[in-house]
Amino acid sequence: MLVSYRVIGRNIREARRNKGLTQADVAESLGLSLLHYGRLERGDRRAALEQIAAIAHTLEVSVSSLLEGCVETLHAECSASKTIGTEIESIAAGCK
């Protein structure tokens, strides 16, 4: 299973724009350089789960909303019902 960081970046960008913030606003709030943050939004750089959680907190959205999108298999098949968010929820459900 492969994670599409471009999809995550697109979700981050959309959430930022919905808040009316600039990349510079968010980067400063997170303590990141504008260059690094821009790469996260474009999907050019992988974001650690901790970074995704911090971005979600800053943008006042859920982590799962930033992770929403297709999880790619090695054969590039994509299932709308199998998203990163649903994968994380199923794993977390087993931790109760």
Side-chain angles (χ1 to χ4, degrees), residues 20-94:
L21 299 172
T22 65
Q23 285 186 340
D25 295 332
V26 179
E28 182 179 336
S29 176
L30 296 168
L32 300 174
S33 72
L34 181 56
L35 179 64
H36 181 78
Y37 179 77
R39 287 178 177 163
L40 291 173
E41 271 198 14
R42 288 188 304 278
D44 294 340
R45 172 117 355 148
R46 292 181 177 196
L49 185 56
E50 292 84 3
Q51 282 183 316
I52 293 171
I55 292 168
H57 179 75
T58 298
L59 298 176
E60 298 176 335
V61 298
S62 67
V63 171
S64 63
S65 72
L66 297 182
L67 299 178
E68 193 65 38
C70 294
V71 175
E72 300 170 8
T73 66
L74 293 177
H75 301 292
E77 296 170 358
C78 189
S79 169
S81 65
K82 188 168 188 162
T83 65
I84 296 171
T86 57
E87 288 289 310
I88 290 174
E89 287 173 9
S90 69
I91 293 168

